[in-house]
Amino acid sequence: MKSFKILTAAAVMAVSAFGCGETAKEDIESKPQYIAENGMVTAEVTQPFFDYFDGMINNDPDKMLLSITPVSFIEEMKLTDKYDKLLSETRDILIPSVIETWTKQYGADPVVSLFEEVSNTPFTDEQLDFAELCYKYNYFDVKKDLEITDGFEITYKYKIQGADSSTEGEDTACFVRVENDGWKMISVPAEALEEFRGAEDPYQAESTT
């Protein structure tokens, strides 16, 4: 099961202190419901970022997983012991590792905030397909279909604040809307989804073998 890959990508982004182009006019006009008057995305699009790191800081692995995982996938994993195992890995390995690193670097009670959007680029239809394949390959054992209807690559400025010091930086991630679910964070730039170019749907491939 590769489901931990998306989760650890976000963690690597976090441990490294998180270490586009301008939005085309026609793309803004095609997705007006997710673009505010100032040209930035609406709050619902980036909510998974806050949920992910709030879950990490407050040792709430369920909240973390929900911010990056389709609900239908979680429900499917709960039918077996897969979800419990993922919760344990997140709670017992991932969260302590990241919090320990931040505490050493910035002091006690570290907090992560996204304080400025630099740019947003709406997904093309092709990138929406790549994002669907990303989930299907990373959660291949779940074998649950999904439809991603909207997406953005967003570059943003962030801040990590601890009791002793803080750091600020800039990073890029993808945010996608899963039909009948909501927005999820894929913590890599859109360019990273190119690895799925030419890949066949693993569910369809399996059904023909």
Side-chain angles (χ1 to χ4, degrees), residues 131-205:
E132 290 181 4
L133 288 171
C134 175
Y135 275 111
K136 289 180 179 180
Y137 273 94
N138 281 287
Y139 292 83
F140 184 70
D141 289 353
V142 175
K143 299 182 180 65
K144 195 74 176 180
D145 211 350
L146 79 162
E147 179 183 3
I148 293 178
T149 60
D150 298 276
F152 291 91
E153 178 186 64
I154 297 177
T155 297
Y156 54 86
K157 293 182 179 179
Y158 67 86
K159 182 176 184 178
I160 303 177
Q161 176 72 58
D164 301 330
S165 63
S166 65
T167 187
E168 297 180 6
E170 187 174 296
D171 202 17
T172 300
C174 294
F175 296 82
V176 297
R177 181 181 177 277
V178 179
E179 182 71 5
N180 299 319
D181 187 343
W183 289 89
K184 308 294 177 181
M185 178 174 68
I186 301 178
S187 53
V188 295
E191 182 180 11
L193 299 178
E194 286 285 334
E195 69 172 284
F196 297 102
R197 180 179 296 278
E200 59 183 342
D201 189 317
Y203 300 168
Q204 294 180 3

Side-chain angles (χ1 to χ4, degrees), residues 13 33-36 39-54 63 67-68 112-121 151-157 171-177 182-186:
M13 175 180 71
Q33 67 270 43
Y34 303 120
I35 298 291
M40 301 294 99
V41 296
T42 54
E44 63 184 308
V45 177
T46 52
Q47 186 60 45
F49 174 97
F50 299 100
D51 290 344
Y52 183 89
F53 288 103
D54 183 68
K63 191 170 187 177
S67 72
I68 61 174
V112 183
S113 60
L114 184 160
F115 64 88
E116 183 180 345
E117 179 183 323
V118 177
S119 65
N120 63 68
T121 304
F152 291 91
E153 178 186 64
I154 297 177
T155 297
Y156 54 86
K157 293 182 179 179
D171 202 17
T172 300
C174 294
F175 296 82
V176 297
R177 181 181 177 277
W183 289 89
K184 308 294 177 181
M185 178 174 68
I186 301 178

Side-chain angles (χ1 to χ4, degrees), residues 42-108:
T42 54
E44 63 184 308
V45 177
T46 52
Q47 186 60 45
F49 174 97
F50 299 100
D51 290 344
Y52 183 89
F53 288 103
D54 183 68
M56 178 176 289
I57 291 167
N58 293 292
N59 197 25
D60 185 349
D62 282 292
K63 191 170 187 177
M64 289 179 64
L65 292 171
L66 188 59
S67 72
I68 61 174
T69 311
V71 170
S72 61
F73 282 35
I74 290 177
E75 292 175 345
E76 187 76 10
M77 285 189 287
K78 284 182 176 179
L79 298 177
T80 65
D81 62 351
K82 294 174 183 177
Y83 189 69
D84 287 339
K85 287 181 178 179
L86 191 54
L87 278 180
S88 295
E89 290 176 324
T90 306
R91 181 183 58 248
D92 301 334
I93 300 174
L94 178 60
I95 293 177
S97 174
V98 174
I99 296 301
E100 179 182 6
T101 299
W102 284 348
T103 300
K104 288 180 179 178
Q105 292 179 340
Y106 313 115

